[in-house]
Amino acid sequence: MKVSELNFLVVEDDESQRGMIVKMLRALGATSVREAGNGKQALEVLHAGQGQPQDIIICDMNMPEMDGMEFLRHLGQEKFTHSIIILSALDRALLTSVEKMSEGYGITLLGVAAKPISRTQLEALLARYQRAEVKPPPPRAAVRVFSLEDILHGIGAQQFEPFFQPKVDLKTGKVIGAEALARWRHPQHGLIAPYAFIALLERADKMDELTFMMLRRSAVACRILHEKGYPLTVSVNLSLTSLADTTLADRITRVVRDAGVDPQYIVLEVTESAAMTDVAPALENLARLRMHGFGLSIDDYGTGYASMQQITRIAFSELKIDQSFVKDFTDHPAMRIIVESSIDMARKLQVKSVAEGVETQQDWDTLKSIGCDTAQGYFIARPMDLVAFHDFLAGYRPIATSPVSMQEWGKIHVLVIEDDEFTRKMILRVLRELGYTDLTDTDSAEAALQLFEADAFGLIITDCQMGGMNGLEFVKLIRSGKTRALPDTRIVMLTAFSKTEVLGVALALDVNGFLVKPIVPAELENKLTNAMSERVHLRPPIAYASINTELTGQPITAQPAGRHAPSITLDRSTTRPLNAHERQLTLGELRPGMTLAADIRFSDGNKLLSSGYTLTESSINRLKDMEALLQSKNMVVRENVLQG
Ligand code: C2E
Ligand code: MG
Ligand code: MG
């Protein structure tokens, strides 16, 4: 649902603050915004507005007459179904308990934000509402219940396979391993995630059927990857139920050795609850596995109730911090403390710390700054089959070091390329006003290439249409590694938004922003901030080298990497029924790594992205930049990448 279709109620006693929030909401597109000065007034508004539900209530805590807590209690008691955003100047610990209290009253809390809330924060919270809306009902596969016979038959028919999710070293940004996660390619129902079959197998004591298939195929995959030049470790999950049989360790060792893999490249993940079991056979198995050289990981750490002493009974080699802590830890100090102390403990025990559920650049940066060793999560990639994982490795470039902090941006060496002298001077002036001091400018791409011989730039702002080499060709040379500049140098392109052909090619070249002439200072600042903070995930050089950058007036489309551009298609149909393994998402729901299942077009009919294209953070951000120009706000992506 669009922001313009939502109803808002802002409950805040301070008039100026309330005004600010209302203004922000309107700027974000809200059309229905009501106001109240305290909880009592808010309840009156709610009671009076029967049949006209306020979808989202933004509520201060500390207010006269009826404070926020009392208001929330009334909401809970009267079973109002609105979603709430709590705003407050109260300290974090108190806000966290308010959060818990709301949960207790059965209130849908979108989030808690310290005052004053910024527009981006507000936007993110609203996006959460929009996401939650589409989540239930879950994908059909999620609610489908399979019988044990179905599952065992599927395993026998080799319909199960491991999907691989990369684990990346936070220091170097390099892929060092992968976790194998079971997936069922059901002939009728598509890709099925583990929760649909694991519990059932465990209860029926049939887990070994799956475990050994996973082990064998993961070990073979490991060997293949080694042969292809990727010396990765592969992690396989073990169920507690399997650990009861004392022959397990030897059987596992045999399977792995038979696949031609040294056990040191296989990590076995056991959950914290399995690790704390007192059952001697489990301990015996784990000790023997370690003795044979396997890595042992404590999975989902923090969700069980293991004591340090229990944990240390096992000679484990890796501590995997549960994603529930990582998920929100950047804005929940208590979560962050748990993550930090887990990492600290791992360091002291001389085992590796792994954070799972790393979803954003911010998660990545924070984990890196607190010394976590390894990261796994959607931010890097979703689990994928072996072929896709191999392609991923082939195209992978180490994740960039954390984006430069605000204060340091001024020191970035910026190159401005613009043939129109007036515009160039204007940009330079604005940049100086914004505090950038290290500036170089030139009037042609050719001259810029000369500059690369002696100079390195952190940011390039380039015009598109220039005499001589055009800006797109210039960017293509950089991205495909044909210049002295780093291929992943951040690049912002100056262009007119009416030129959809240019936008399409620039997007395919993974530029980090568009600037529309004439330049507006506030917009320039915004665009540069975004360009410097988004994650640059480049495709292999060949993917750029094959892009047509001639400005012929014909639409040019970003193709899936590795494929050649097909002739321009005249098929302009946009709506078609979704196939079983496709899902429709809004722009705000797109995530890096998702693969398009349908073309994205401009409203003039020109194709922007082709089906099969894998999204990156940059391309998603560019789509958002161009939102107003798109034919549809809904994108179709492939389900398998979604199931994670
Ligand atoms: P796990 O071992 O903790 O695996 C991590 C789970 O988190 C995976 O879910 C993965 O897809 C998901 N995940 C990874 N990154 C992110 C992220 O950034 N955000 C979010 N929200 N989720 C992320 P999946 O594949 O559905 O597996 C669920 C669980 O099923 C696994 O949790 C594991 O306990 C179990 N499992 C999967 N395969 C096997 C298997 O072969 N054997 C056993 N015994 N258990 C398995
Ligand atoms: Mg695991
Ligand atoms: Mg886990």
Side-chain angles (χ1 to χ4, degrees), residues 179 237 269 299-301 320-323 356:
E179 175 171 9
N237 292 281
E269 296 192 0
D299 204 353
D300 303 344
Y301 180 70
K320 214 165 169 185
I321 303 158
D322 191 65
Q323 49 181 285
E356 58 179 27

Side-chain angles (χ1 to χ4, degrees), residues 171 316-319 321 339-354 366-373:
K171 274 192 206 77
F316 66 103
S317 54
E318 177 183 287
L319 192 69
I321 303 158
V339 173
E340 276 184 42
S341 48
S342 306
I343 291 169
D344 199 43
M345 181 177 100
R347 195 182 302 118
K348 287 181 181 140
L349 291 170
Q350 296 183 321
V351 300
K352 283 211 152 183
S353 50
V354 182
T366 313
L367 286 165
K368 186 167 170 161
S369 71
I370 57 183
C372 184
D373 294 314

Side-chain angles (χ1 to χ4, degrees), residues 11 64 75 146 182 187 200 227 231 328 360 376 389 401 466 503 610:
V11 193
L75 286 183
F146 296 95
L200 209 61
E227 285 165 1
D328 288 321
T360 63
Q376 178 183 343
F389 183 55
T401 35
M466 297 181 281
L503 296 174
S610 288

Side-chain angles (χ1 to χ4, degrees), residues 197-210:
F197 48 83
I198 289 201
L200 209 61
L201 286 170
E202 285 182 344
R203 266 193 312 243
D205 204 15
K206 295 282 186 203
M207 196 56 204
D208 278 5
E209 313 271 332
L210 182 73

Side-chain angles (χ1 to χ4, degrees), residues 58 72 127 168 208 210 275 279 311 332 342 345-346 388 570 593 609 633:
I58 300 176
L72 290 177
V168 175
D208 278 5
L210 182 73
V279 192
I311 291 270
H332 283 79
S342 306
M345 181 177 100
L570 290 173
L609 288 174
K633 306 283 174 265

